[in-house]
């Protein structure tokens, strides 16, 4: 075995995939097993299936997981959050968690208060009342705190001041999230993202503990990382501070893995799993980021997420009695519930076996039946999703990955070419294994006379965050810098975003 091997693991809703990758991005070993309820158990099993005998050749193990997203969608395992908005009296007309689904709010809402303070767009800072903040926290049972304030991207000092005050007041057992670290411009959306971040702390802690236990069980001393929304890595300590950044890691891993397996840096990627099909875009080697706020479980947010469109098409998608394709899936029970595996549920996998698209299970169990309409429905849904992600009518190159991608036709409407790269079925795990470490920053700045200084300040913040996430400080490159002028200001003020990336330290 060559030194410098990496392991990537991706925990999906149906399967947990693992891949062992060498320094040339060649997949040396891989596995695909059903996802388990206990994250540590599933990770340990996937890891053990691909490890070489000589553990010292492993330099990095990276994990992508859907646990955070599933917790929000399923309204389970989330912590209760006390929300503190430092913005009174200006923002009292719209209280925190306005517009949240009732069932999600009932699980997460641990109280809220809007207290004196806040930063104005022109840089003025209104003072806080420490006693008011302490009183707001007394008597609650929340185990996490979300702090937000207007224009904290421009000046985060007040959020940090309040966080330090509360740390002294409530102790270290309560996690604290600050909005300037989580979201972008827009107080309510950034506040929502911060509340979700705080609520997910216990969920990701459980995953991190299971991951660490799995590494110890297999005597792996390599540096562990979690993957995040842009397909890059972060150290476990950073993931515990910013758990919301793991929500979009699954699709991002697949997009990055597809690019690595094909050598393409610009393409549309279709990832077909057991439950859903995700369509995304890779540009210059990184997933295209959604241009607008993202709805997570019915909550409007504005943190950076991959631009992905999902449709209910997967290997476990049920076929209705009339032969049409349904929208629900048997999920991880595919290998026991589908007809070809001895079950009594007609799935898209059964329809694909009958159509000769794929070989699995025991085709004789189908008794010569076929479901052509279900196949047509699957192709149509995927083609429609691809069309939604295109920016023109021209056909585009498509990379087809995921364990269920064999169920979809190669002659896909809207595609100029369709590639299924080698080991397409574990592209998500490959994406985790080959990922870089990144950092992003967003500021609001006066760019009239000091534009270059403002851009450099934003880039430096991004560099600092990349190093905090585990990047090698000497090898960080600037990926992108975007500037958006803000309208209706009395002087030139812009929103500046910077992204940097580099190899793990």
């Amino acid at each position: 075995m060559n030194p410098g091997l990496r392991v990537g693991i991706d925990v999906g809703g149906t399967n947990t995939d693992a891949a062992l990758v060498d320094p040339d991005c060649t997949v040396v070993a891989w596995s695909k097993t059903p996802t388990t309820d206990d994250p540590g158990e599933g990770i340990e099993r996937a890891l053990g299936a691909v490890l070489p005998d000589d553990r010292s050749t492993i330099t990095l193990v990276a994990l992508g997981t859907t646990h955070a997203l599933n917790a929000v969608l399923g309204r389970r395992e989330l912590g209760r959050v006390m929300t503190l908005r430092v913005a009174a009296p200006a923002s009292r007309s719209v209280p925190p968690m306005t517009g949240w689904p009732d069932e999600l709010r009932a699980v997460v809402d641990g109280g809220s208060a809007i207290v004196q303070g806040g930063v104005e767009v022109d840089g003025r800072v209104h003072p806080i009342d420490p006693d008011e903040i302490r009183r707001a926290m007394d008597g609650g049972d929340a185990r996490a705190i979300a702090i937000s304030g207007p224009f904290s991207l421009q000046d985060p000092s007040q959020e940090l001041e309040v966080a330090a005050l509360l740390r002294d007041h409530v102790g270290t057992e309560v996690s604290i999230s600050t909005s300037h670290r989580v979201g972008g411009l827009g107080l309510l959306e950034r506040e929502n993202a911060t509340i979700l971040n705080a609520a997910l702390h216990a969920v990701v802690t459980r995953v991190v503990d299971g991951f660490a236990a799995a590494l110890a069980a297999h005597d792996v001393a390599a540096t562990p990382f979690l993957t995040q929304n842009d397909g890059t890595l972060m150290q476990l300590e950073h993931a515990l501070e910013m758990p919301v950044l793991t929500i979009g890691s699954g699709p991002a891993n697949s997009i990055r893995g597809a690019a690595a397996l094909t050598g393409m840096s610009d393409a549309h990627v279709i990832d077909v799993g057991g439950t859903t099909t995700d369509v995304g875009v890779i540009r210059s080697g990184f997933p295209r980021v959604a241009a607008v706020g993202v709805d997570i479980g019915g909550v409007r947010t504005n943190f950076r997420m991959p631009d992905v469109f999902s449709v209910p098409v997967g290997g476990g998608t049920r076929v209705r009695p009339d032969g049409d394709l349904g929208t629900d899936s048997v999920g991880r029970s595919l290998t026991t519930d589908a007809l070809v595996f001895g079950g009594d549920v007609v799935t898209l996998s059964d329809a694909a076996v009958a159509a000769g698209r794929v070989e699995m299970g025991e085709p004789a169990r189908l008794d010569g039946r076929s479901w052509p309409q279900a196949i047509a429905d699957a192709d149509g849904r995927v083609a429609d999703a691809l069309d939604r992600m295109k920016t023109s009518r021209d056909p585009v190159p498509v990379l087809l990955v995921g364990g269920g991608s064999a169920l979809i036709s190669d002659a896909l409407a809207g595609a100029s070419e369709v590639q299924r790269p080698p080991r397409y079925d574990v592209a998500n795990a490959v994406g985790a294994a080959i990922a870089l470490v990144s950092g992003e920053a967003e500021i609001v700045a006066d760019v009239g006379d000091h534009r270059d200084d403002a851009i450099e300040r934003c880039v430096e913040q991004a560099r600092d965050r990349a190093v905090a996430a585990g990047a090698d400080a000497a090898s960080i490159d600037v990926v992108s810098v975007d500037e958006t002028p803000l309208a209706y200001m009395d002087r030139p003020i812009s929103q500046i975003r910077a992204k940097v990336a580099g190899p793990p330290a």
Side-chain angles (χ1 to χ4, degrees), residues 254 258 261 269-272 399-405 419 421 424-425 427:
S254 295
L261 291 170
V269 179
I270 299 177
D271 178 23
V272 187
L399 308 180
L400 200 52
V401 297
S405 63
Q419 289 191 46
Y424 63 85
D425 50 340

Side-chain angles (χ1 to χ4, degrees), residues 28 44 88 162 187 192 203 275 291 301 310 312 314 378 425 433 464 467 478 484 505:
V28 178
E44 181 177 339
V162 173
L187 173 61
N192 287 342
V203 175
T275 305
T301 68
S310 300
D425 50 340
D464 291 343
V467 172
V478 177
T484 305

Side-chain angles (χ1 to χ4, degrees), residues 78-100:
L78 298 169
R80 298 187 70 80
V81 179
M82 172 66 187
T83 304
L84 192 69
R85 184 191 296 169
V86 188
S91 70
R92 284 181 172 149
S93 60
V94 184
M97 303 186 78
T98 296
W100 280 51

Side-chain angles (χ1 to χ4, degrees), residues 206-298:
R206 183 166 172 251
V207 173
V208 167
D209 290 345
F211 187 22
L215 293 172
H218 287 292
D219 195 26
V220 176
T223 304
F225 287 87
L226 257 63
T227 61
Q228 54 182 330
N229 297 336
D230 61 356
T232 60
L233 304 174
M234 55 182 169
Q235 290 181 325
L236 302 189
E237 295 80 4
H238 191 69
L240 291 174
E241 182 186 355
M242 304 290 291
V244 77
L245 295 185
T246 69
I247 280 184
S249 63
N253 286 342
S254 295
I255 292 170
R256 288 275 292 162
L261 291 170
T262 60
M264 297 181 66
S265 59
D266 296 275
H268 284 61
V269 179
I270 299 177
D271 178 23
V272 187
T275 305
T276 61
T277 292
D278 300 322
V279 182
V281 182
I282 189 160
R283 287 287 179 263
S284 302
F286 287 90
R288 187 175 74 190
V289 176
V292 295
V294 177
D295 187 295
I296 304 294

Side-chain angles (χ1 to χ4, degrees), residues 410-434:
D410 287 338
L412 192 63
S416 59
E417 61 173 317
V418 175
Q419 289 191 46
R420 282 192 188 86
R423 299 273 52 94
Y424 63 85
D425 50 340
V426 291
N428 48 3
V430 173
I434 57 91

